[in-house]
Amino acid sequence: MDYRNKLVLAPMVRVGTLPFRLLAAQYGADITYGEEIIDHKIIKCERRVNDVLGTTDIVEKGTDNVVFRTCPEERNRVVFQMGTSDAMRALKAAEIVCKDVAAVDVNMGCPKSFSISGGMGAALLSKPELIHDILTTLRRNLDVPITCKIRLLKDPQDTVELARRIEMTGVSALAVHGRKVPDRPRDPAKWNEIADVAAALSIPVIANGDVFEYEDFQRVRNVTGASSVMVARGAIWNASIFSSEGKIPWEDVKREYVRKSILWDNDIKSTKHTLKEMITHYSSLGRPEGLAVIKSDTLADLAKLYGEEEYYEYVSESRRKQIT
């Protein structure tokens, strides 16, 4: 896994599932992070090969609830991101997925109360010894690259010092979100503070924050000196942001996302959530399209809404033949 000069899809809860990761890759993303999944949840799962879909599924034991789904097509670029606050539990969870992904990443930047109250995400930023324990445990016991994603600390020098400590654990790369824990998405990313980190480290630094056009990738590289650049909201709004040929109409992107959700049998709640995020940026959920998405109960409903009924029937018939 090479982390230099890469365009990276950021980890996004309920968005970064298999269809969206493949969508981003289709348009040019080199590395695609899955949504953060908590270690407690993964260790209650088992690995299953899904012959009908051609996927590997991490499924809650005793159920058909798919927690993480991947496929050979993304094997060399998908990063499994995990939320954790315990080294041995992190290892136990990572061992379940590591054979099917390109790398494992530890979330050390999520500012949401759920993560922080559980000692995960941004709560780790103030616990460098625990960070060291988690990362070194994963590094020593797994054959895949280990990385982590942090936020900026209150003092820029503290961020640099933490980044240096992280580098000493032997991680392959460090992603830095250019905002601090109290910051909101509307607050501008502090690229100059990411630049301080990039200048201090020898491992690749992945800069994250305020990337909304393809040209921003190079602009952020130039300003920060980072090896690679990661995008979140800009990719949700139009995943073709990764294309060097320019964005394609978001209507086409939505339809392609729906097709991929059908093909990979994506969870309907996840699919609706992502569509609503797309719609909210360009339009309103109170308009006919948004209301129709909200009312949709199945992928078949969404196929009808976006004019993909024939594709839905084709995929469904193909699966029926495989099963019989």
Side-chain angles (χ1 to χ4, degrees):
M1 188 74 154
D2 182 5
Y3 289 92
R4 298 186 186 278
N5 300 314
K6 295 296 187 290
L7 310 184
V8 186
L9 176 69
M12 292 178 283
V13 173
R14 299 177 69 188
V15 174
T17 53
L18 179 59
F20 196 83
R21 297 195 302 268
L22 292 178
L23 183 72
Q26 175 179 312
Y27 293 128
D30 301 301
I31 299 173
T32 55
Y33 280 59
E35 60 175 337
E36 177 198 23
I37 302 176
I38 307 304
D39 55 6
H40 285 288
K41 193 161 193 175
I42 290 295
I43 61 178
K44 296 177 183 176
C45 294
E46 61 186 6
R47 179 183 182 275
R48 295 182 196 169
V49 174
N50 188 324
D51 292 322
V52 175
L53 295 180
T55 60
T56 299
D57 298 345
I58 307 301
V59 184
E60 281 191 72
K61 293 176 183 176
T63 76
D64 292 322
N65 180 30
V66 177
V67 173
F68 179 74
R69 170 168 284 163
T70 185
C71 68
E73 185 179 339
E74 66 168 5
R75 173 66 180 80
N76 295 322
R77 64 170 170 267
V78 62
V79 178
F80 178 82
Q81 195 192 56
M82 173 171 48
T84 187
S85 61
D86 180 86
M88 294 312 297
R89 194 169 62 239
L91 177 60
K92 187 176 179 181
E95 286 174 335
I96 296 173
V97 301
C98 66
K99 290 183 176 62
D100 301 296
V101 298
V104 172
D105 182 84
V106 179
N107 183 344
M108 299 184 178
C110 181
K112 294 182 179 178
S113 58
F114 170 79
S115 287
I116 292 178
S117 64
M120 301 176 291
L124 291 171
L125 295 175
S126 60
K127 300 175 181 177
E129 293 82 9
L130 180 54
I131 287 177
H132 183 273
D133 190 24
I134 292 170
L135 295 177
T136 54
T137 298
L138 294 175
R139 275 275 297 116
R140 290 168 182 164
N141 292 281
L142 300 178
D143 293 330
V144 296
I146 304 301
T147 62
C148 66
K149 185 170 186 281
I150 66 171
R151 280 189 173 236
L152 301 173
L153 300 180
K154 290 181 180 179
D155 185 284
Q157 189 56 39
D158 289 341
T159 307
V160 171
E161 289 304 316
L162 177 63
R164 283 177 172 151
R165 293 190 68 164
I166 289 171
E167 181 178 38
M168 290 174 64
T169 67
V171 294
S172 299
L174 173 66
V176 184
H177 187 142
R179 292 183 176 85
K180 302 176 182 181
V181 173
D183 291 344
R184 294 294 173 259
R186 63 178 176 273
D187 297 321
K190 299 172 178 64
W191 290 350
N192 60 314
E193 295 189 29
I194 298 179
D196 293 338
V197 175
L201 303 189
S202 58
I203 61 171
V205 170
I206 305 169
N208 176 211
D210 291 352
V211 176
F212 303 114
E213 303 294 339
Y214 182 82
E215 293 71 24
D216 291 337
F217 286 115
Q218 189 57 50
R219 189 156 62 97
V220 174
R221 275 202 203 99
N222 292 341
V223 173
T224 64
S227 300
S228 296
V229 180
M230 175 182 280
V231 57
R233 287 178 296 158
I236 296 180
W237 299 338
N238 190 323
S240 64
I241 187 175
F242 293 104
S243 173
S244 60
E245 298 176 0
K247 289 179 183 175
I248 66 173
W250 75 294
E251 296 288 353
D252 295 339
V253 174
K254 280 186 298 182
R255 280 194 293 272
E256 184 62 22
Y257 173 66
V258 169
R259 287 169 66 91
K260 281 182 166 47
S261 293
I262 292 168
L263 180 61
W264 300 103
D265 194 24
N266 198 46
D267 176 71
I268 182 64
K269 291 181 181 178
S270 167
T271 303
K272 287 174 60 174
H273 173 80
T274 303
L275 286 170
K276 287 189 287 185
E277 289 288 324
M278 294 178 181
I279 293 166
T280 301
H281 179 65
Y282 290 98
S283 179
S284 166
L285 291 177
R287 293 184 177 179
E289 180 189 2
L291 293 172
V293 168
I294 291 170
K295 292 178 181 177
S296 296
D297 293 322
T298 64
L299 290 173
D301 293 337
L302 292 176
K304 183 176 182 181
L305 175 62
Y306 288 99
E308 296 293 344
E309 299 103 316
E310 287 188 14
Y311 183 74
Y312 181 86
E313 287 304 320
Y314 166 75
V315 171
S316 298
E317 181 61 26
S318 298
R319 285 189 194 138
R320 282 193 288 270
K321 288 179 180 178
Q322 279 185 284
I323 293 172
T324 57

